[in-house]
Amino acid sequence: MQLRTQGKLIGFVPTMGSLHEGHLRLVDVAKEKADVVVVSIFVNPTQFGPNEDFEKYPREETADVEKCEQRGVDIVFAPDAGEFYATNFSTFVNEELCSRGLCGDFRPGHFRGVATVVLMLFNVVRPDLAVFGKKDAQQVAVLRKMVGDLFVPVTVVEAPIAREEDGLAMSSRNRYLSAEQRKLAPRLHATLQAAVESVRAGERRAKAVQEQVAAALGEGEAFRVQYVGVVDAETMQPVEEIAPGRTLLAVAAFLGATRLIDNVDL
Ligand code: AMP
């Protein structure tokens, strides 16, 4: 409260904890743009489906707080699930354009849970700006739309995907991969890069790119592809023709039981 009246810009990085370098890069971006940085750690029950990994989602708050301190975070906000949601909670935010398709088709209710908790967090933290990772491109699109549609007084900042040296997008779920799966995992990003090359070489047909990606991932039956989407970068809705700079290629695929997502701009 005092910080705000002192005219300090407040930057906010919402997370579900189990922090890795990808999260900490968002902190770096927030620090560049704001005077005070708040990180929230909250494994949000309403964004997990009944058969998803809410119970076994990794939780390591002590280590997370330490990482935040080392990276120069000013405030860590880690509400308790039981306390953050009122017992008779009954209000949800439904974004109905960007949340359709891609992950929205396979994780019903997920973006409703995300939009709701992010608005709740915004109302408690009251940041000037909030940083989200492009790793979850559809999430950023949904939140941008919510902020615009509902006049939420927060600037949404998108930070690039942080990757391991071999290209695998960093994720708290990567730890579920066996050594063998971990070796295969970079193929996801390599396949997306190959699609970028095809578009550079002149390919404009979304269907051709989708087929190229699905075929490359399916080879050797390593990945079980959930979706390959070629979509408008703002609305997340499918396009037939690729418009370089305005089109996103997004994939979700399983390696064993672990679901990986990744995306690139075409
Ligand atoms: P999560 O804890 O998975 O909910 O993620 C919290 C925030 O960190 C979200 O804005 C994610 O998009 C972002 N994030 C997670 N992994 C990465 C990554 N590899 N690169 C960039 N941002 C990421």
Side-chain angles (χ1 to χ4, degrees), residues 161 163 166-168 186-201 209 212-213 216-217 249 251 262-266:
I161 301 178
R163 297 182 180 282
D166 59 13
L168 176 65
R187 205 207 287 174
L188 195 58
H189 178 238
T191 302
L192 297 184
Q193 280 307 118
V196 169
E197 290 308 323
S198 300
V199 173
R200 267 196 203 131
V209 168
Q212 175 189 343
V213 171
L217 287 177
L249 168 61
V251 296
D262 204 344
N263 65 79
V264 286
D265 290 313
L266 290 179

Side-chain angles (χ1 to χ4, degrees), residues 46 84-94 112 116 120:
T46 66
F84 201 42
Y85 282 96
T87 42
N88 55 353
F89 190 90
S90 60
T91 308
F92 291 89
V93 180
N94 259 325
R112 177 176 101 135
T116 303
M120 289 163 71

